[in-house]
Amino acid sequence: MPTNAMHRNYSKTSKTPRRPYEKERLDAELKLVGEYGLRCKREIWRCQYALAKIRKAARVLLTLDAKDPKRIFEGAALLRRMNRYGLLGEEELELDFVLQLTTQKLLERRLQTKVYKQGLAKSIHHARVLIKQRHIRVGSQVVDVAGFGVRTSSEKHIDFAVNSPYGQGPPGRNAKKRAAARAAAGGDEEE
């Protein structure tokens, strides 16, 4: 029986390393996983794959003539996007700088890292838990994806969600339980 389900083009979001047991790479990856509080190495590989695509686009554009309309149009769009996500500064808006981007620069722009760096979470792992449990919003939108790429414009709008106990929301499950226990203890003393 035919269905009316939407047809999607699924494509890979990460690429596994060519040499699986290279000691230097394994150590470097483990260090990044710990530093940025990642769940698994696939999250690093996803960043590296996105970076590879960006760098490839820049390399292709650099082979074209400087006056080529494709290079002018697509190059400006690529640089604008890199600037919007805070990967390149205002003084670095050239295609050569796109080739110098690193995985760390991409990992620094994740919501998880930003929540921790802004002091909303006690640790990088706590930041991930807060995001997954829907306590964090960007602007007015609750975001529950730790790898969300934060734009420079929305960086200052990262805050606790409105209905979160950490924000202005009602108290959480444990706080309610403690309040009830306190009220019960207070009631016993009066009698």
Side-chain angles (χ1 to χ4, degrees):
M1 176 128 183
T3 60
N4 281 345
M6 223 170 81
H7 297 288
R8 289 189 181 90
N9 286 327
Y10 291 105
S11 58
K12 291 199 169 193
T13 56
S14 67
K15 190 171 186 286
T16 55
R18 280 206 188 106
R19 307 176 80 179
Y21 301 112
E22 201 175 11
K23 184 161 176 30
E24 294 81 38
R25 183 188 51 76
L26 287 172
D27 293 342
E29 282 177 352
L30 197 61
K31 192 166 180 273
L32 282 179
V33 165
E35 188 182 341
Y36 292 100
L38 306 177
R39 183 174 64 87
C40 57
K41 293 195 177 170
R42 195 189 300 125
E43 294 195 333
I44 296 175
W45 301 338
R46 190 173 59 209
C47 269
Q48 288 172 342
Y49 189 54
L51 187 62
K53 282 186 186 173
I54 292 165
R55 291 179 60 186
K56 183 179 181 186
R59 268 201 318 274
V60 168
L61 290 173
L62 279 168
T63 59
L64 300 173
D65 185 48
K67 298 276 187 253
D68 192 309
K70 182 178 177 176
R71 176 172 171 171
I72 293 167
F73 184 75
E74 289 184 17
L78 180 67
L79 293 172
R80 209 170 32 246
R81 195 161 72 241
M82 296 298 102
N83 187 22
R84 191 184 305 140
Y85 280 100
L87 297 170
L88 294 178
E90 290 292 335
E91 66 283 343
E92 298 177 323
L93 290 182
E94 288 177 35
L95 287 172
D96 295 327
F97 287 107
V98 175
L99 298 178
Q100 295 169 8
L101 286 175
T102 59
T103 312
Q104 281 90 330
K105 209 136 192 209
L106 242 68
L107 291 171
E108 282 292 332
R109 300 304 307 170
R110 297 178 53 162
L111 180 62
Q112 181 179 357
T113 313
K114 290 291 165 197
V115 167
Y116 173 58
K117 294 270 170 84
Q118 289 186 7
L120 295 174
K122 295 174 188 149
S123 72
I124 194 85
H125 304 291
H126 185 224
R128 190 180 186 98
V129 171
L130 286 178
I131 294 165
K132 253 324 187 199
Q133 293 177 354
R134 300 173 61 84
H135 290 297
I136 302 294
R137 66 186 162 100
V138 179
S140 59
Q141 183 70 48
V142 171
V143 180
D144 66 346
V145 179
F148 177 79
V150 181
R151 295 181 174 192
T152 45
S153 57
S154 55
E155 206 171 327
K156 51 191 163 293
H157 301 297
I158 298 172
D159 200 11
F160 288 116
V162 179
N163 58 354
S164 163
Y166 293 102
Q168 310 88 302
R173 179 175 54 87
N174 283 329
K176 283 181 192 167
K177 208 186 291 181
R178 271 191 233 107
R182 246 187 262 118
D188 292 343
E189 288 172 11
E190 288 171 8
E191 290 175 9

